Every structure is written in C-alpha cells, then in structure tokens.
Amino acid sequence: MHGWSCLVAGCLVLASLHAGAQSTQGLQGATQGADCTASASSACYRSFQPPESGGALHYYASLSPDVATPASPTRALIAMHGHPRDANKTFDAALQAVRGAGALADTLVVAPVFQVAQDKAGKCSTPGVPAAEAGDLLWTCGSWLEGGRAGNGNGNGVTSFAAMDALVTELTQRWPSLRTVTIAGFSAGAQMVQHYIGFAQERQAGSVAVRYVVADPGTWLYFDPVRPQPMRDGVAVAWAACGSGADTLRNCTLTFTVAADGACPALNRWKYGTDALPASLGRNAAQARQRYAAADVSYLEGALDSSDAKGTYYGILDKSCAATAQGPYRMQRGLAYAQYDRALLAPDKRREVVVVPGCAHDVACVFPSAAARGVLLGPSR
C-alpha cells in the first residue's frame, strides 16, 4: 500500500500552460477599458476598508460590479500571493486556470495585496504591483502570512485573517450571485491560507460556501505534537530512501510520532504548531483544530518541488529544526501533512492531494495546469 494517494488526473495529466502565462502587464499602459479577464492592470485594482480597521486593503478583480450590466458570477477564486507579494503574477495564473476551464463568464477572480511600508518592502516586492499608499493597511514582509496585526489603522490593528474574512464579505456583498468562494494560496500565500482556515469567520448556514486550496507551502501548521517518520518494512528510514518527484513515498509509509521538542523549542510553537497561539486570532487551539477539521480543504503539490534542484527555490525554503521535522522539501512536507490530516484531523473527510507533473515551485505552472483546474474551481452550486 502506498504511503500517499492522489487524483488520477493529478498523477497523469501534464500541466498545460498558454503563451504569456508567466508574464503580466502589471500597471503600465493600462486604460480604463482594459480587459481584466486577460491580465492584471491598474483598471483591475480595487480597494475597500475592512470594518473598524481604519485602513484600506487592495485587490485585483477580473470583473466589476459597477458596469451598466453587472456580471453575475456564481463562483469566486481568491488567489493569495507569495512572499514577494506577487499579486499580479498570482492573479494572472488564477485567470489562466479559470480560462483553461472555460469558466471565465461564471467565475470572479480576485488577488488581494497585503501591503508593506515602502521603506520595509525591499525584500518582498514585485515589479508591477503598486507600492503602499497613504491610508493602506500595512504589515511586514512576514507578519501577514501568520495572521499578524496591521501596524497601523484603528486600535491594535486588524489581523490579516480578519482582513481576509472582510474580503470574503466584501465580495459576497458586491456580487450577491456568488454561491462558492475558493481561497487558494501558493508558497507563502499557501502558508497564510493553511493557517487561516482554523481561524476563519464562521458563515451562516445557507450562505456562500467557502473552500480552501493549499499549494506548495514551505511549512505547515500542525495541531498535534506529532511529526512524520518514513517507514519501510516496519523500520524507520531517511526521507531520501523513499524516492522523489512523482515517486515520493511510493516505497514507504508514514507514521506520526510525538517529536521531542527539547532540542527544538520552536517545534510546536506558532506558526509550526499551536503553542503560544496569539490571542488576537480569537480562538484557542482546540477550537481552531475543530474548525480546520470541518473545513473543505484540498492540497496541490508540484511534482518537481521535491529536491534542491533549480526551480525549487530551495535557497529560501525554511530549514529551521521546526521546519525540517516536517520533511526535507516542500512536496514531502505537503504529502506528509495531507496524510496527517486524513489520519488524525479529519478521517471522515475526503482530503485530496493533487500532484502536478512537470512543475517545481512556480505558481504560473501549478495553478494553470490541467491537473489543478478542478481543485481550484471546485463544484458548481
């Protein structure tokens, strides 16, 4: 029995990219009549103020609620940027996925931008994405991905998780036809989404359904003090003995054993675990675990994001002891977490992990792939 499973399409269908998927128009040369279902531009860049936040959050949107004959999408795909806050590239990759599925007319694509002050954004900026403006909510390069508070605005600052809650509400109010909202993140954006799930606002029964897609994060939030250990024939082995790429874990099973944290004090601390959970997130560890277990969650992994080879951005992968306890590379960490989820968090749920062939650590490869489209779009309601 293999140590992991994936959808047939995810294992066998190669990612399909259209010309221009890895480039964006950014904000240059944009006109009021720009087609926001084609690529990111200034005409697609909107903002709103989360309640009681005292500041603005910006997002790209593929449709406008203000046109003479408003579109009536039934689905929204919120695509969360990575550490370089590459919302334009992430927006374009999500558009490419929706276009490939033939669902542009029915699907609103949105990509929020969690702004960082210009004098602190040198290591987390992407050409074409607007810099912070006066009145914008501001985080640091790393605080937004773990639910940190904005450093400005009213009171103690709105958390990035509360800002995401407010964005979902904003979209459902502006587009009341929405029935399903999928929040998908890639890389650091996937860390943000995966951590957010347990703390997301509960929606009333019968309202919009919210789904989550977690794609290639560097590390994961565990709700138990266990970590994965590869096994072969009942004997613990190193991860390297279990294969790589699409063959990762085919020759091994995983057990989840309590990891001693004496030599690694951060092992079970937030953001790797739920010790020292920030009170600002509004739930305790048991409540967050219950919320995560009840959520609709799917996982995406690039098959080539499983080594230190070119294209994996191994140089920026978290290699702390708390991170390496989850596995050596992103794909191994992701497959292990999906198995942990199915075994210990939500054994009664269908947790799907789709492996995308031919992709390393690149949202412009993973999101538009044929393998990923069904996960990102989800079922129609």
Side-chain angles (χ1 to χ4, degrees):
M1 180 176 177
H2 298 325
W4 62 278
S5 63
C6 66
L7 296 179
V8 173
C11 296
L12 301 179
V13 181
L14 293 177
S16 174
L17 297 178
H18 295 278
Q22 300 188 32
S23 65
T24 64
Q25 294 177 0
L27 300 173
Q28 300 177 0
T31 65
Q32 191 63 35
D35 182 2
C36 294
T37 64
S39 63
S41 76
S42 61
C44 316
Y45 196 61
R46 299 179 170 275
S47 69
F48 78 106
Q49 184 167 304
E52 301 180 2
S53 68
L57 182 74
H58 295 267
Y59 61 95
Y60 291 100
S62 61
L63 302 172
S64 170
D66 304 320
V67 296
T69 55
S72 299
T74 61
R75 295 181 291 202
L77 173 58
I78 300 175
M80 188 63 218
H81 60 67
H83 184 266
R85 297 185 306 111
D86 51 348
N88 52 0
K89 179 180 178 180
T90 306
F91 181 73
D92 287 358
L95 281 175
Q96 193 81 357
V98 175
R99 185 181 301 112
L104 278 175
D106 182 51
T107 307
L108 167 69
V109 178
V110 168
V113 181
F114 283 78
Q115 287 290 12
V116 174
Q118 291 189 47
D119 61 341
K120 298 179 181 179
K123 295 183 178 180
C124 59
S125 294
T126 294
V129 176
E133 304 171 357
D136 286 355
L137 293 168
L138 300 174
W139 285 266
T140 69
C141 286
S143 66
W144 58 267
L145 66 87
E146 54 187 89
R149 290 185 181 275
N152 61 339
N154 293 337
N156 293 320
V158 65
T159 70
S160 60
F161 293 172
M164 182 63 81
D165 286 338
L167 177 60
V168 174
T169 299
E170 166 78 1
L171 299 181
T172 56
Q173 289 176 346
R174 286 186 173 271
W175 287 274
S177 56
L178 289 174
R179 296 293 177 266
T180 304
V181 174
T182 299
I183 305 174
F186 182 84
S187 192
Q191 284 193 53
M192 191 272 194
V193 171
Q194 197 259 334
H195 286 66
Y196 164 70
I197 295 168
F199 302 92
Q201 175 184 346
E202 292 192 42
R203 304 278 162 179
Q204 293 182 349
S207 64
V208 65
V210 181
R211 308 172 57 250
Y212 305 93
V213 178
V214 183
D216 282 326
T219 59
W220 297 78
L221 171 62
Y222 274 78
F223 294 89
D224 296 281
V226 299
R227 296 298 182 269
Q229 171 59 58
M231 306 288 291
R232 182 184 291 175
D233 298 326
V235 178
V237 296
W239 282 92
C242 299
S244 62
D247 293 324
T248 298
L249 293 181
R250 285 196 183 278
N251 300 318
C252 297
T253 59
L254 290 177
T255 61
F256 293 90
T257 57
V258 175
D261 61 1
C264 185
L267 186 71
N268 293 306
R269 291 181 188 166
W270 182 259
K271 64 185 174 69
Y272 306 100
T274 55
D275 290 353
L277 197 63
S280 59
L281 299 182
R283 289 193 183 128
N284 61 34
Q287 291 168 334
R289 178 195 179 103
Q290 184 179 30
R291 178 68 177 164
Y292 194 100
D296 184 340
V297 187
S298 297
Y299 304 110
L300 287 173
E301 294 293 332
L304 303 183
D305 207 356
S306 56
S307 71
D308 60 359
K310 183 178 180 181
T312 64
Y313 292 92
Y314 179 72
I316 62 172
L317 179 65
D318 188 343
K319 305 176 192 68
S320 66
C321 60
T324 56
Q326 299 182 7
Y329 308 109
R330 292 184 190 88
M331 182 176 172
Q332 285 86 338
R333 294 175 187 180
L335 295 180
Y337 193 88
Q339 193 160 319
Y340 157 76
D341 185 353
R342 290 190 296 251
L344 298 178
L345 285 182
D348 59 335
K349 291 277 189 178
R350 185 187 178 201
R351 301 298 211 205
E352 296 174 343
V353 52
V354 175
V355 176
V356 181
C359 292
H361 197 64
D362 184 3
V363 68
C365 183
V366 173
F367 273 14
S369 68
R373 290 173 196 158
V375 179
L376 291 171
L377 270 295
S380 297
R381 285 184 76 195

